[in-house]
């Protein structure tokens, strides 16, 4: 087995882990929401909790998939064209990660949490 084949298999492993994280995270999110519904928790709290959990799952999965792309581009096929494609993929995933983080946190990263939290 050559170095390129080995690195390709490692990248495929990262991709499998990224997809597994996504699937398991979605399942756990729905299970947690179902259990909260059975406990008759407020639906707004259930929705917010599930939304936050699934959003963080997507962020983690995106990070793992970016690692797979980096391995594949740098180690397996380091051409100018592939580096350009990687740059575009990383840019798109970074924008997705940023917007998901803002959506989950409800604020821009450089903004203080809230005036109530600052007083404590």
């Amino acid at each position: 087995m050559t170095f390129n084949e080995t690195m390709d298999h490692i990248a495929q492993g990262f991709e499998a882990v990224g997809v597994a994280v996504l699937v398991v995270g979605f399942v756990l999110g729905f299970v947690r929401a179902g259990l909260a519904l059975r406990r008759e928790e407020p639906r707004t709290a259930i929705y917010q909790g599930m939304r936050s959990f699934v959003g963080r799952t997507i962020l983690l999965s995106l990070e793992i998939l970016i690692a797979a792309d980096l391995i594949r581009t740098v180690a397996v096929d380091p051409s100018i064209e592939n580096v350009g494609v990687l740059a575009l993929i990383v840019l798109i995933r970074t924008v997705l990660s940023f917007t998901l983080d803002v959506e989950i946190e409800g604020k821009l990263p450089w903004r203080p949490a809230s005036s109530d939290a600052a007083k404590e």
Side-chain angles (χ1 to χ4, degrees):
M1 185 177 281
T2 67
F3 176 78
N4 284 352
E5 290 172 340
T6 302
M7 288 296 111
D8 192 45
H9 290 307
I10 290 171
Q12 288 174 354
F14 270 80
E15 289 171 343
V17 169
V19 171
V21 165
L22 196 58
V23 170
V24 170
F26 272 98
V27 169
L28 285 176
F30 280 100
V31 167
R32 288 176 54 179
L35 292 173
L37 276 171
R38 285 185 54 120
R39 288 189 303 265
E40 298 181 1
E41 293 180 17
R43 291 182 188 260
T44 305
I46 295 169
Y47 170 75
Q48 292 296 332
M50 183 173 169
R51 186 172 171 214
S52 176
F53 186 82
V54 170
R56 292 188 191 288
T57 298
I58 293 169
L59 286 172
L60 178 59
S61 181
L62 280 172
E63 296 297 328
I64 295 168
L65 292 171
I66 287 173
D69 289 336
L70 284 168
I71 291 168
R72 181 166 283 116
T73 300
V74 172
V76 177
D77 194 11
S79 68
I80 293 295
E81 182 179 325
N82 286 342
V83 170
V85 169
L86 174 66
L88 185 60
I89 290 170
V90 169
L91 177 68
I92 291 168
R93 289 186 178 164
T94 300
V95 169
L96 281 172
S97 294
F98 177 78
T99 55
L100 277 170
D101 195 41
V102 169
E103 188 71 24
I104 291 167
E105 298 295 326
K107 66 176 184 63
L108 295 170
W110 52 85
R111 300 274 187 188
S114 73
S115 59
D116 293 336
K119 292 177 185 177
E120 293 179 2

